[in-house]
Amino acid sequence: MIDSTKHQGQRKQLIGKLREKGIKDELVLKAMMKVPRHLFMDSGLEDYAYVDKAYPIGADQTISQPYTVAFQTQLLGLQDGDRVLEIGTGSGYQTAVLMAFDSLKIFTIERQHELFKKTSLLFKKLKLRPRKVVFGDGYKGLPELAPFEAIIVTAGAPKVPKALLSQLAIGGRLVIPVGEKEQIMTRYIRKGEKDFDRQTFGEFRFVPMLKDRN
Ligand code: SAH
């Protein structure tokens, strides 16, 4: 599990590209500079780790594009000590970026057992310790561990799961790509018990958020 100077150089260039594409949050860029994305790629694809694209990670899923990771993380508006729930652990890359903020408490859910097992093992190898890595259905969230100051969904949701809205703390943010074929990046901010602000941030493409486990 080596992070060579070559990797670090490529990563610095990628961070420069993210800046050019409009990512401004220095804490997000700093976190992404810390995470060796090549360790989260499938073998054979490591050379592409610092290309700003999504790549296959098995089980018909993809590791999110770095720009998308940066964009969603920026929208979360993270603050020290926040409890953050991620739906769709996948490769673990987005989880690792959140862990790189030091002060956050991260919970993550994956519904495909193969990816859950593979990525749990990778977290152990990398000594990354999220508060909880759960094999389960992200539509349900984690009611027993709610509320969360931030929830990030990394698969395309046909509809906004009500359970996730209800698990937001007051002032909490849900960042979720909503739609069938293409998704609109959407952020909900909980203003009160039943009061949510909704903003949209343009079109993205995600693998679909699925019901029923494999
Ligand atoms: N955050 C990941 C993105 C992986 S792609 C990364 O950085 O690599 C989206 C992931 O969401 C896939 O792993 C997929 O299996 C998972 N997923 C799809 N539907 C889900 C659901 N209902 N609950 C939890 N995870 C889900």
Side-chain angles (χ1 to χ4, degrees):
M1 297 275 166
I2 296 164
D3 189 23
S4 68
T5 48
K6 182 179 151 209
H7 288 131
Q8 289 165 30
Q10 289 177 338
R11 197 148 71 239
K12 212 169 173 184
Q13 285 193 347
L14 172 66
I15 301 303
K17 282 199 192 120
L18 297 177
R19 248 183 240 286
E20 280 168 27
K21 288 185 178 177
I23 303 298
K24 292 200 174 69
D25 188 329
E26 289 303 325
L27 291 176
V28 172
L29 294 166
K30 198 173 133 204
M32 290 184 69
M33 186 60 215
K34 283 193 204 162
V35 182
R37 187 173 186 249
H38 60 280
L39 303 182
F40 297 85
M41 304 279 289
D42 262 16
S43 54
L45 292 173
E46 288 98 338
D47 287 352
Y48 302 101
Y50 300 104
V51 179
D52 190 19
K53 283 190 182 159
Y55 286 96
I57 53 171
D60 284 333
Q61 304 303 320
T62 56
I63 178 170
S64 296
Q65 182 182 342
Y67 176 73
T68 306
V69 171
F71 194 85
Q72 285 197 282
T73 309
Q74 184 168 271
L75 283 181
L76 288 174
L78 297 167
Q79 308 205 356
D80 283 355
D82 277 357
R83 292 162 60 84
V84 185
L85 174 63
E86 177 193 24
I87 310 298
T89 316
S91 69
Y93 175 64
Q94 170 76 68
T95 324
V97 169
L98 294 168
M99 298 286 297
F101 277 74
D102 302 327
S103 63
L104 304 173
K105 302 175 183 103
I106 313 297
F107 305 81
T108 182
I109 310 180
E110 172 57 53
R111 69 173 274 287
Q112 297 221 44
H113 200 248
E114 184 190 331
L115 284 174
F116 164 77
K117 271 198 314 197
K118 187 168 140 189
T119 302
S120 299
L121 199 67
L122 180 66
F123 286 153
K124 286 215 177 80
K125 275 192 197 150
L126 298 177
K127 300 195 166 51
L128 276 176
R129 294 186 190 88
R131 288 291 162 108
K132 238 180 169 78
V133 182
V134 179
F135 171 54
D137 182 3
Y139 275 96
K140 299 195 178 91
L142 284 181
E144 65 280 18
L145 293 166
F148 300 97
E149 279 74 36
I151 302 179
I152 174 171
V153 178
T154 69
K159 277 191 190 157
V160 182
K162 288 219 173 69
L164 298 185
L165 286 173
S166 76
Q167 289 170 33
L168 279 181
I170 304 293
R173 292 82 56 198
L174 166 65
V175 173
I176 179 167
V178 186
E180 303 270 354
K181 264 196 187 145
E182 280 162 359
Q183 292 84 27
I184 305 294
M185 192 62 76
T186 309
R187 178 171 66 187
Y188 289 85
I189 301 180
R190 188 170 203 171
K191 297 286 182 187
E193 198 51 44
K194 289 191 175 147
D195 182 16
F196 294 87
D197 252 14
R198 177 180 170 275
Q199 293 166 283
T200 57
F201 299 90
E203 235 167 59
F204 285 77
R205 250 168 215 261
F206 283 79
V207 293
M209 187 172 174
L210 300 171
K211 295 207 162 156
D212 306 325
R213 288 177 207 172
N214 281 354

